[in-house]
Amino acid sequence: MANDYNDKVSRVLSLYQRLMEGEVVDKEVEAARYGVSARSIQRDISAINDFFEQETEKSGVINSIEYDKKKGGHYLSQIYKTRLTNSEILAICKILLDSRAFTRERMEHILDILVDRCTPAEGKAIVQDLIKNEEFHYIELTHKSEFVDKMWDIGQAIHQNRYLEMDYKRTKDGAIVKRRVKPVAIMFSEYYFYLTAFIEDEDVKADFDVIDDAFPTIYRIDRIAGYKVLDKQFKIHMEIVLKKANSEKESSSCMVESFKRSNSSIKGQAWKQFLTGCQLRRFWKKKMAYTRYLQRCSARALICG
């Protein structure tokens, strides 16, 4: 009995090794080699497949033994579905480095995790070598502030349609001002992450240097000195934006029809979905767009919020 068990273990390990090396396994040939039935070899293959399924979550590789009549037997199929390819990881690392969005410490932490956990083992050394020079010469932005957790909290407020109270450091004079806003989106442009939000206080909006851009307002997230997510939820009144769009003749027919189908007041979640459609691309692009507004703020030292 012990010999039979040892023979089976040796047979399964041999099949596993040869499959991993890319060999094609013929059941009939293997049955004759080990002096067992073809059905026994099929059970061995099924056992190896069960092992692969259990290891998928750990390895990030989907291994499966497939049968191909043209190849003349069973072979190992490998799919890196739970991991990015080497080329994808390299592209993402390059984008991150060029963005200069994070502190050096945070950037190194993110890159290490990406390369270590998301790259197939045989390509790690190559990817590390291709990015190490840029990583060494990486120049972080002057604010040097950690804002990732802050951005997550703001994202939660957007998702739950909750008001946000914050102390914001203005661009023009560095003064700290208090704002109570309806956060609706987070965006990235020119090295910085920004919060897009609506202000209810008309007196605050009246003090803006650029009146036409007072609704909505854009805030640089790293300039938010303090914040608190409130329990109170909000709705967005769409008729205000529709009136503004029609008066400036900058809305497309797609946008107008979407507004007509909308209720006069909808929740923030629906507003987020609205922002991601063709309305955002057409309406805000013609309305100077977020990026050009930010560049103008920077060039003219205007108050952004």
Side-chain angles (χ1 to χ4, degrees):
M1 184 69 70
N3 288 336
D4 290 343
Y5 174 78
N6 291 334
D7 289 344
K8 181 178 180 178
V9 171
S10 298
R11 187 174 70 240
V12 171
L13 289 175
S14 176
L15 289 171
Y16 172 83
Q17 181 179 5
R18 284 185 285 134
L19 286 165
M20 292 297 290
E21 291 174 351
E23 290 188 25
V24 176
V25 173
D26 187 308
K27 282 195 304 182
E28 301 298 334
V29 173
E30 297 302 320
R33 176 185 297 179
Y34 292 105
V36 296
S37 66
R39 184 175 295 179
S40 294
I41 299 299
Q42 183 60 56
R43 285 196 292 266
D44 294 341
I45 292 173
S46 298
I48 296 173
N49 260 334
D50 291 341
F51 171 75
F52 284 148
E53 288 181 7
Q54 296 172 8
E55 291 296 303
T56 295
E57 186 175 348
K58 297 178 183 177
S59 66
V61 180
I62 299 177
N63 288 318
S64 178
I65 302 174
E66 308 287 347
Y67 177 76
D68 190 324
K69 186 176 182 179
K70 292 182 179 179
K71 291 183 178 182
H74 291 77
Y75 68 98
L76 179 64
S77 172
Q78 289 187 320
I79 305 174
Y80 291 95
K81 278 192 174 180
T82 58
R83 292 197 180 193
L84 297 172
T85 64
N86 294 325
S87 57
E88 290 169 338
I89 284 291
L90 178 61
I92 292 172
C93 289
K94 291 287 188 180
I95 292 171
L96 282 172
L97 287 164
D98 287 344
S99 73
R100 294 178 58 199
F102 306 102
T103 62
R104 172 178 286 276
E105 183 179 358
R106 176 69 67 173
M107 181 65 75
E108 290 176 351
H109 173 71
I110 293 174
L111 293 176
D112 288 344
I113 291 178
L114 278 173
V115 175
D116 183 59
R117 300 185 184 179
C118 301
T119 310
E122 66 272 14
K124 284 185 181 179
I126 298 174
V127 174
Q128 288 171 336
D129 184 64
L130 289 170
I131 68 172
K132 67 180 181 181
N133 186 59
E134 289 180 67
E135 187 175 358
F136 178 79
H137 293 287
Y138 179 76
I139 301 176
E140 60 185 357
L141 298 177
T142 55
H143 65 76
K144 297 184 179 181
S145 63
E146 283 287 354
F147 58 86
V148 175
D149 293 336
K150 183 193 306 180
M151 187 165 64
W152 173 254
D153 291 339
I154 293 173
Q156 291 289 89
I158 294 171
H159 179 72
Q160 298 169 6
N161 315 316
R162 298 190 182 279
Y163 281 92
L164 181 72
E165 282 186 353
M166 61 184 182
D167 297 326
Y168 185 74
K169 185 178 180 180
R170 293 194 302 198
T171 306
K172 184 176 182 178
D173 54 10
I176 302 295
V177 294
K178 290 187 177 294
R179 294 287 183 262
R180 185 173 183 269
V181 300
K182 303 173 182 177
V184 293
I186 293 175
M187 54 170 282
F188 177 81
S189 178
E190 301 293 329
Y191 310 130
Y192 299 104
F193 286 94
Y194 296 87
L195 164 66
T196 302
F198 292 84
I199 294 182
E200 290 184 312
D201 193 333
E202 295 296 332
D203 293 335
V204 172
K205 291 192 287 185
D207 291 335
F208 286 177
D209 289 347
V210 184
I211 300 300
D212 290 340
D213 291 317
F215 186 71
T217 311
I218 301 172
Y219 302 91
R220 231 173 72 185
I221 291 180
D222 63 279
R223 287 184 168 273
I224 299 176
Y227 64 95
K228 180 181 179 181
V229 178
L230 305 181
D231 292 333
K232 184 179 179 181
Q233 293 183 298
F234 62 83
K235 294 181 180 180
I236 300 296
H237 294 279
M238 305 297 285
E239 72 275 5
I240 299 175
V241 184
L242 177 60
K243 181 178 179 181
K244 193 176 187 66
N246 286 334
S247 64
E248 297 177 7
K249 297 182 180 180
E250 291 183 29
S251 62
S252 64
S253 59
C254 174
M255 180 180 181
V256 173
E257 289 304 315
S258 296
F259 271 125
K260 287 180 179 179
R261 291 194 299 268
S262 301
N263 295 326
S264 61
S265 180
I266 65 174
K267 290 186 176 181
Q269 184 71 12
W271 170 250
K272 281 194 302 178
Q273 296 172 357
F274 180 86
L275 285 175
T276 61
C278 63
Q279 297 85 0
L280 176 64
R281 294 193 297 271
R282 297 179 183 179
F283 178 66
W284 289 115
K285 183 177 179 181
K286 292 181 180 181
K287 201 177 183 304
M288 302 301 288
Y290 291 130
T291 302
R292 281 183 284 177
Y293 172 71
L294 297 172
Q295 290 174 341
R296 191 165 70 251
C297 281
S298 177
R300 297 171 56 189
L302 297 175
I303 299 175
C304 191

